C-alpha cells in the first residue's frame, strides 16, 4: 500500500517534483520484484489524473516520415505493452510513445520470473516473450484516445511462433493502422523462438512484401525494428530490403542476447539485455546503418540512452529520433523531459536551429 500511494503521489506530481521524488521512491519500487513494480507503476499512472504534455522548446520539433514530433525523445516499446498509459507518458514529457508489442491474439508470455534489474550495471534483462492482451484490447483504448494529444506508434508482432507468422503481421497492419500514428514491425525480440530469423534474406523479403501490400493509401508510416546482434553484411541486406519495400524508418535496436562484462548476479539470466551496457553496441549498429542508408532512410536510435549526452551522440551519428526504456527504471520518468531540455541546450550551443540540422553531423 505504501508503495502504491507513493507511486500515485509520484504520478500525480509535476515532473519537476517527480524527478526529485524518484530517489526516495526508487528503493520502494526496488523492494518489489521487477515485474510487480512495473505493474504497480502502470496502475498508479492509470489512476493519476490526466496531465497535458509539457510545452517543448520549438527547436525540438521535428518531422519523420511525415509525422510531426514535438520532441525527439520517445518511450520505447515494451513499457506500455497494452496501451494503458499513453496519455500519462506523454504528460510526463515523452515526445512520443510506442505501445506494444501487440499480437493479434493475447499471449501469456514466458513463466515468471522473466524480468530482472541489474542495478550495478544500470541494465535490465527480460525474457517476457511478447506477453500482451491482444490487439483488439489495445485497439479499444487507442480508438478512444484524443489523437491531438501526442504521437503514439503501435509495435506489432506475431501471436504464434510458427511458419505462418507473416499472416499475423499483415493482420496487425490491417487492424492497428486506423489508430496508429506509425506502425513498427518488430522482428527482433530475442524471446520469441525463431522470430529474429525473419531478419534473414528470403524471409525478410517475403515479410516486407506482405506488409507493403497490406498498407492502404493514407495509412500510417511503417518502421522496422532490428536486433543489435547482426553480423557485418546484415545491415546492408536489411537496409536494402527495407528501402525496396517502402519501409519508412529503421529502429536500431532491440535488446541484445550478447553479454558484455556485467557485475550483477543476474548477468547469466536468459533473455535480452538493455540499458547502459547495450549503449556502445547499439551506437555501433546505428553508425553502420547510417553509413549505408545516409539520408535515404530515417533512423531511430534506442539502446542504453540515459542522458542528453547519449541522445545527442545518437543524433549526431544519424538518428532522427531516440527512444528509451531502461533508463526510466534508474532515473525515473522525468528522464525524457530532462533529456529534451539538454538537447535544446546542445542545439543552441553548437549553432543548430533544429534537430534535423544536427542529424548525422558527427
Ligand atoms: C521489459 C522490457 C520489455 C520489452 N518489450 C519489448 C517489446 O514488446 N517489443 C519491442 O520491440 N521491444 C521491447 N523491448 C525493447 C525496448 O523497446 C528497447 O529496444 C530496449 O530495451 C533497448 O532500449 P533501453 O536500453 O533504453 O531499454 C523491451 C525492453 C524491456 C526492458
Amino acid at each position: 500500500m505504501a508503495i502504491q500511494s507513493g507511486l500515485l503521489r509520484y504520478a500525480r506530481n509535476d515532473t519537476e517534483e517527480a524527478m526529485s521524488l524518484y530517489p526516495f521512491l526508487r528503493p520502494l519500487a526496488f523492494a518489489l520484484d521487477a515485474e510487480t513494480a512495473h505493474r504497480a507503476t502502470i496502475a498508479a499512472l492509470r489512476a493519476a489524473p490526466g496531465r497535458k504534455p509539457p510545452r517543448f522548446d520549438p527547436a525540438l520539433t521535428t518531422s519523420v516520415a511525415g509525422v510531426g514530433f514535438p520532441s525527439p525523445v520517445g518511450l520505447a516499446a515494451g513499457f506500455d505493452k497494452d496501451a494503458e498509459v499513453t496519455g500519462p507518458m506523454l504528460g510526463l514529457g515523452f515526445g512520443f510513445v510506442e505501445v506494444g508489442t501487440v499480437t493479434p491474439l493475447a499471449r501469456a508470455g514466458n513463466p515468471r520470473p522473466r524480468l530482472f534489474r541489474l542495478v550495478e550495471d544500470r541494465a535490465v534483462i527480460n525474457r517476457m516473450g511478447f506477453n500482451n492482451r491482444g490487439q483488439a484490447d489495445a485497439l479499444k483504448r487507442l480508438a478512444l484516445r484524443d489523437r491531438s494529444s501526442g504521437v503514439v506508434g503501435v509495435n506489432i508482432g506475431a501471436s504464434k511462433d510458427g511458419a505462418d507468422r507473416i499472416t499475423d503481421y499483415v493482420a496487425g497492419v490491417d487492424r492497428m493502422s486506423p489508430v496508429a500514428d506509425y506502425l513498427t514491425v518488430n522482428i527482433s525480440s530475442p524471446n520469441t523462438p525463431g522470430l529474429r530469423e525473419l531478419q534473414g534474406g528470403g524471409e525478410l523479403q517475403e515479410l516486407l512484401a506482405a506488409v507493403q501490400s497490406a498498407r492502404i493509401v493514407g495509412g500510417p508510416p511503417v518502421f522496422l525494428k532490428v536486433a543489435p546482434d547482426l553480423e557485418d553484411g546484415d545491415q546492408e541486406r536489411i537496409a536494402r530490403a527495407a528501402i525496396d519495400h517502402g519501409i519508412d524508418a529503421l529502429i536500431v535496436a532491440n535488446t541484445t542476447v550478447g553479454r558484455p562484462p556485467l557485475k550483477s548476479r543476474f548477468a547469466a539470466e536468459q533473455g535480452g539485455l538493455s540499458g547502459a551496457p547495450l549503449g556502445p553496441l547499439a551506437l555501433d549498429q546505428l553508425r553502420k546503418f547510417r553509413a549505408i542508408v545516409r539520408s535515404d532512410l530515417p533512423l531511430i536510435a534506442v539502446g542504453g540512452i540515459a542522458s542528453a549526452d547519449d541522445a545527442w551522440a545518437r543524433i549526431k551519428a544519424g538518428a532522427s529520433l531516440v527512444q528509451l526504456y531502461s533508463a526510466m527504471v534508474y532515473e525515473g520518468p522525468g528522464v525524457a523531459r530532462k533529456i529534451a531540455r539538454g538537447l535544446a541546450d546542445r542545439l543552441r550551443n553548437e549553432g543548430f536551429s533544429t534537430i534535423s540540422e544536427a542529424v548525422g553531423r558527427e
Side-chain angles (χ1 to χ4, degrees), residues 67-81:
V67 179
F69 294 82
S71 153
V73 185
L75 177 63
F79 178 80
D80 188 13
K81 284 194 190 259

Side-chain angles (χ1 to χ4, degrees), residues 75-79 81 98 100-102 114-115 124-128 130-131 155 184 186 188-189 191 225 251-255 272-276 278-279 302-306 323-328:
L75 177 63
F79 178 80
K81 284 194 190 259
E98 185 167 317
T101 299
V102 282
R114 53 192 179 174
L115 179 59
V124 173
I125 289 179
N126 91 84
R127 51 169 178 269
M128 305 300 285
F130 273 4
N131 60 307
N155 178 308
T184 297
N186 175 19
S188 48
S189 288
N191 304 304
K225 186 166 177 181
I251 304 186
V252 186
N254 216 308
T255 56
L273 172 74
S274 56
L278 171 59
V302 52
I305 296 171
Q323 295 178 314
L324 62 88
Y325 178 165
S326 302
M328 214 170 38

